[in-house]
Amino acid sequence: MKNFVVKTIANAGALLVAVWLLDKITLTGSSTGKKAGTLIIVALVFGLVNFLVKPLVKVLTFPLFILTLGLFTLVVNALMLLLTSWVCGKLDLSFHVEGFWTAVIGGLIISVVSWALHVVLPDED
């Protein structure tokens, strides 16, 4: 359970950095508390998308991973971020990613920040 909470906090922090750095990734709300709550829910959706959809996409696109020596991971991460944005739109959450290239850069930022936070935060169960 502790590992799940740590991963969610790391995802929320990484998403927050991406929202802060990129103008075309938006998180809106009427107050800081509502933004924080929305960010936690978006982090949960992002984690769920990465848990359920990403392994299937990786298996189906395995030849492209081999052909591009792993660089196709950037495209998969961007697609997962766009899917999260779409799901959040359907759930009426105020998180939006505008465009594929914004998602590529956002996915790169989220990957780096999430990795750094996983190094810092404890993850024992």
Side-chain angles (χ1 to χ4, degrees), residues 23-39:
D23 293 335
K24 293 186 178 182
I25 298 179
T26 58
L27 177 73
T28 56
S30 57
S31 68
T32 305
K34 286 192 180 214
K35 283 183 183 179
T38 302
L39 187 64

Side-chain angles (χ1 to χ4, degrees), residues 50-93:
N50 279 329
F51 179 73
L52 295 176
V53 179
K54 192 173 185 177
L56 179 63
V57 171
K58 278 186 164 182
V59 167
L60 294 175
T61 60
F62 184 70
L64 291 172
F65 279 99
I66 299 298
L67 187 64
T68 63
L69 301 174
L71 288 177
F72 196 70
T73 303
L74 295 173
V75 174
V76 171
N77 287 344
L79 293 175
M80 295 305 107
L81 189 57
L82 286 171
L83 182 60
T84 300
S85 175
W86 180 79
V87 169
C88 288
K90 294 297 180 186
L91 294 175
D92 201 29
L93 296 170

